[in-house]
Amino acid sequence: VMMGRKVGEEGEKGEEGEKGEKGEKEPDVAREEGKEDAIAEVVEAHAVILAARSKRLHAMLTSGMRESREGRVMLESMSYDILIELVHFLYSDNISLKALNDPNMLMRLFVVASEYTLTRLSKMCEGVLLRLLHVENVAEFLEFADTYGSESILREGSMTFVLRNFEMVEKT
């Protein structure tokens, strides 16, 4: 499976998916940005891994939907760096070091994890975000938690942090 990102009309066309062991065409997974016929950045992945790790990807790759018929899944809702992080997680069951130190990336991964039914990734992102919590970002984390997971661990942790550090938080 090839995972890629479309960048415009003039780009190169994506290649067909590679043949599997039984000669079946493996679907491609791609993120769309711009015109349909141009893919500039590609990440290879195995359809069986994608389908096994995510109920949503499984449905897209096996149910006769457009994605399985055309051999591509267009992941329009995420940036290419998040696509790379998603594939990394699907294969390793870990969050990359790059993402571990980037609260913004962790928040975006959390949203994608929710969208693609990756509960473990959601919980891992929340756990790391809690460790990155400090007076200067607690309001942002709390707002994020309220927006994307009102009953989340991150929301509860942020509220506890605010209550324990109210005087310092109030000054920011």
Side-chain angles (χ1 to χ4, degrees), residues 48-84:
V48 68
I49 300 285
L50 303 176
R53 296 294 307 248
S54 166
K55 292 177 185 177
R56 182 170 178 197
L57 288 172
H58 181 270
M60 295 169 95
L61 294 168
T62 63
S63 67
M65 293 173 64
R66 181 192 77 186
E67 291 83 1
S68 63
R69 288 191 316 271
E70 292 179 2
R72 292 196 193 283
V73 177
M74 304 309 295
L75 302 176
E76 300 173 27
S77 65
M78 70 184 78
S79 63
Y80 188 70
D81 62 336
I82 294 300
L83 176 61
I84 296 291

Coordinates of all heavy atoms in Angstrom, one line a residue, residues 48-84:
V48 N -3.0 -4.8 5.3 CA -3.4 -5.7 6.4 C -3.1 -5.1 7.7 O -3.9 -5.3 8.7 CB -2.8 -7.1 6.2 CG1 -1.3 -7.1 6.4 CG2 -3.4 -8.1 7.2
I49 N -2.0 -4.4 7.9 CA -1.7 -3.7 9.1 C -2.7 -2.6 9.4 O -3.2 -2.5 10.5 CB -0.3 -3.1 9.1 CG1 0.8 -4.2 8.9 CG2 0.0 -2.3 10.3 CD1 1.1 -5.0 10.1
L50 N -3.0 -1.8 8.4 CA -3.9 -0.7 8.5 C -5.3 -1.2 8.9 O -5.9 -0.6 9.9 CB -4.0 0.1 7.2 CG -2.7 0.7 6.7 CD1 -3.0 1.4 5.3 CD2 -2.1 1.6 7.7
A51 N -5.7 -2.2 8.2 CA -7.1 -2.8 8.5 C -7.1 -3.4 9.9 O -8.2 -3.3 10.6 CB -7.5 -3.7 7.4
A52 N -6.1 -4.1 10.3 CA -6.1 -4.7 11.6 C -6.1 -3.8 12.8 O -6.6 -4.0 13.8 CB -4.9 -5.7 11.7
R53 N -5.5 -2.6 12.6 CA -5.3 -1.6 13.7 C -6.5 -0.7 13.8 O -6.6 -0.1 14.9 CB -4.0 -0.9 13.5 CG -2.7 -1.7 13.6 CD -2.5 -2.3 15.0 NE -2.6 -1.3 16.0 CZ -1.6 -0.9 16.7 NH1 -0.4 -1.4 16.6 NH2 -1.7 0.1 17.6
S54 N -7.2 -0.4 12.8 CA -8.3 0.6 12.8 C -9.6 0.1 12.2 O -9.6 -0.4 11.1 CB -7.8 1.8 12.1 OG -8.9 2.7 11.8
K55 N -10.7 0.1 13.0 CA -12.0 -0.3 12.5 C -12.4 0.5 11.2 O -12.9 0.0 10.3 CB -13.0 -0.2 13.5 CG -12.9 -1.2 14.7 CD -13.9 -0.9 15.7 CE -13.7 -1.8 16.9 NZ -14.6 -1.6 18.0
R56 N -12.1 1.8 11.3 CA -12.5 2.7 10.2 C -11.7 2.3 8.9 O -12.2 2.2 7.8 CB -12.3 4.1 10.5 CG -12.7 5.1 9.4 CD -12.8 6.5 9.8 NE -13.1 7.3 8.7 CZ -13.0 8.6 8.7 NH1 -12.4 9.2 9.7 NH2 -13.3 9.3 7.6
L57 N -10.4 2.2 9.1 CA -9.6 1.8 7.9 C -9.9 0.4 7.4 O -10.0 0.1 6.2 CB -8.1 1.9 8.2 CG -7.5 3.3 8.4 CD1 -6.1 3.2 8.9 CD2 -7.6 4.0 7.1
H58 N -10.3 -0.5 8.3 CA -10.7 -1.8 7.9 C -11.9 -1.7 7.0 O -12.0 -2.4 6.0 CB -11.0 -2.7 9.2 CG -11.4 -4.1 8.8 ND1 -12.7 -4.4 8.7 CD2 -10.7 -5.2 8.6 CE1 -12.8 -5.7 8.4 NE2 -11.6 -6.2 8.4
A59 N -12.9 -1.0 7.5 CA -14.1 -0.8 6.7 C -13.8 -0.2 5.3 O -14.4 -0.6 4.3 CB -15.1 0.1 7.4
M60 N -12.9 0.8 5.3 CA -12.6 1.4 4.0 C -11.9 0.5 3.1 O -12.1 0.6 1.9 CB -11.7 2.7 4.3 CG -12.5 3.8 5.1 SD -11.3 5.0 5.6 CE -11.5 6.2 4.3
L61 N -11.1 -0.4 3.6 CA -10.2 -1.2 2.8 C -10.9 -2.6 2.4 O -10.4 -3.3 1.5 CB -8.9 -1.5 3.5 CG -8.0 -0.3 3.6 CD1 -6.9 -0.6 4.6 CD2 -7.5 0.2 2.3
T62 N -12.0 -2.9 3.1 CA -12.5 -4.3 2.9 C -14.0 -4.4 2.5 O -14.5 -5.4 2.2 CB -12.3 -5.2 4.1 OG1 -13.0 -4.6 5.2 CG2 -10.8 -5.3 4.4
S63 N -14.7 -3.3 2.6 CA -16.2 -3.4 2.5 C -16.7 -3.0 1.1 O -17.9 -2.9 0.9 CB -16.8 -2.4 3.5 OG -16.5 -1.1 3.1
G64 N -15.9 -2.9 0.1 CA -16.4 -2.6 -1.2 C -16.7 -1.1 -1.4 O -17.2 -0.7 -2.4
M65 N -16.3 -0.3 -0.5 CA -16.4 1.2 -0.6 C -15.5 1.6 -1.7 O -14.6 0.9 -2.2 CB -16.0 1.9 0.7 CG -17.0 1.6 1.8 SD -16.5 2.2 3.5 CE -16.5 4.0 3.2
R66 N -15.6 2.9 -2.1 CA -14.8 3.5 -3.2 C -13.3 3.2 -2.9 O -12.6 2.9 -3.9 CB -15.1 5.0 -3.2 CG -14.3 5.7 -4.4 CD -14.3 7.2 -4.2 NE -13.4 7.5 -3.2 CZ -13.2 8.7 -2.7 NH1 -13.9 9.7 -3.1 NH2 -12.4 8.9 -1.7
E67 N -12.9 3.4 -1.7 CA -11.4 3.2 -1.4 C -10.9 1.8 -1.8 O -9.8 1.7 -2.3 CB -11.2 3.5 0.1 CG -11.4 5.0 0.5 CD -12.8 5.3 0.7 OE1 -13.7 4.5 0.7 OE2 -13.0 6.5 1.0
S68 N -11.7 0.8 -1.4 CA -11.2 -0.5 -1.8 C -11.3 -0.8 -3.2 O -10.5 -1.5 -3.8 CB -12.0 -1.6 -0.9 OG -13.4 -1.6 -1.3
R69 N -12.3 -0.3 -3.9 CA -12.5 -0.5 -5.4 C -11.4 0.2 -6.1 O -10.8 -0.3 -7.1 CB -13.8 0.0 -5.8 CG -15.0 -0.9 -5.4 CD -16.3 -0.5 -6.2 NE -16.5 0.9 -6.2 CZ -17.2 1.7 -5.3 NH1 -17.7 1.1 -4.2 NH2 -17.4 2.9 -5.5
E70 N -11.1 1.5 -5.7 CA -10.1 2.3 -6.4 C -8.6 2.0 -6.0 O -7.7 2.4 -6.7 CB -10.4 3.8 -6.2 CG -11.6 4.2 -6.9 CD -11.9 5.7 -6.7 OE1 -11.1 6.4 -6.1 OE2 -13.0 6.1 -7.2
G71 N -8.5 1.3 -4.9 CA -7.2 1.0 -4.4 C -6.5 2.1 -3.7 O -5.2 2.1 -3.6
R72 N -7.2 3.1 -3.2 CA -6.6 4.3 -2.5 C -7.6 4.7 -1.4 O -8.8 4.7 -1.6 CB -6.4 5.5 -3.4 CG -5.3 5.3 -4.4 CD -4.9 6.6 -4.9 NE -4.1 6.5 -6.1 CZ -2.8 6.2 -6.1 NH1 -2.2 5.9 -5.0 NH2 -2.2 6.1 -7.3
V73 N -7.1 5.1 -0.3 CA -7.9 5.8 0.8 C -7.4 7.2 0.9 O -6.2 7.4 1.2 CB -7.8 5.0 2.1 CG1 -8.6 5.8 3.2 CG2 -8.2 3.6 2.0
M74 N -8.2 8.2 0.7 CA -7.8 9.6 0.8 C -8.1 10.0 2.2 O -9.2 10.1 2.6 CB -8.6 10.4 -0.2 CG -8.5 9.9 -1.7 SD -6.8 9.7 -2.2 CE -6.2 11.4 -2.1
L75 N -7.0 10.4 2.9 CA -7.1 10.9 4.3 C -7.0 12.4 4.3 O -6.0 13.0 4.5 CB -6.0 10.2 5.1 CG -6.0 8.7 5.1 CD1 -4.9 8.2 5.9 CD2 -7.3 8.2 5.7
E76 N -8.1 13.0 3.9 CA -8.1 14.5 3.7 C -8.0 15.3 5.0 O -7.7 16.4 4.9 CB -9.4 14.8 3.0 CG -9.5 14.1 1.6 CD -10.9 14.4 1.0 OE1 -11.5 15.4 1.2 OE2 -11.3 13.5 0.2
S77 N -8.3 14.7 6.1 CA -8.4 15.4 7.3 C -7.1 15.6 8.1 O -7.1 16.2 9.1 CB -9.4 14.7 8.3 OG -8.9 13.5 8.7
M78 N -6.0 15.1 7.5 CA -4.7 15.2 8.3 C -3.6 15.7 7.4 O -3.6 15.5 6.2 CB -4.4 13.9 8.9 CG -4.0 12.8 8.0 SD -3.7 11.2 8.8 CE -5.3 10.7 9.1
S79 N -2.7 16.4 8.1 CA -1.5 16.8 7.4 C -0.5 15.7 7.2 O -0.7 14.6 7.8 CB -0.8 17.9 8.2 OG -0.3 17.4 9.5
Y80 N 0.4 15.9 6.3 CA 1.4 14.8 6.0 C 2.2 14.3 7.2 O 2.4 13.1 7.4 CB 2.3 15.2 4.8 CG 3.2 14.1 4.3 CD1 2.6 13.1 3.6 CD2 4.5 14.1 4.5 CE1 3.3 12.0 3.1 CE2 5.3 13.1 4.0 CZ 4.7 12.0 3.3 OH 5.5 11.0 2.8
D81 N 2.6 15.3 8.0 CA 3.4 14.9 9.2 C 2.6 14.0 10.2 O 3.1 13.1 10.8 CB 4.0 16.1 9.9 CG 2.9 17.1 10.5 OD1 1.8 17.1 10.0 OD2 3.3 17.8 11.4
I82 N 1.3 14.3 10.3 CA 0.4 13.5 11.1 C 0.2 12.1 10.4 O 0.1 11.1 11.1 CB -0.9 14.2 11.4 CG1 -0.7 15.4 12.3 CG2 -1.9 13.2 12.1 CD1 0.0 15.1 13.6
L83 N 0.1 12.1 9.1 CA -0.1 10.8 8.4 C 1.2 9.9 8.7 O 1.0 8.7 9.0 CB -0.2 11.0 6.9 CG -0.2 9.8 6.0 CD1 -1.4 8.9 6.3 CD2 -0.2 10.2 4.5
I84 N 2.4 10.5 8.7 CA 3.6 9.8 9.0 C 3.5 9.3 10.4 O 3.8 8.1 10.7 CB 4.8 10.7 8.8 CG1 5.0 11.1 7.4 CG2 6.1 10.0 9.4 CD1 5.4 10.0 6.4

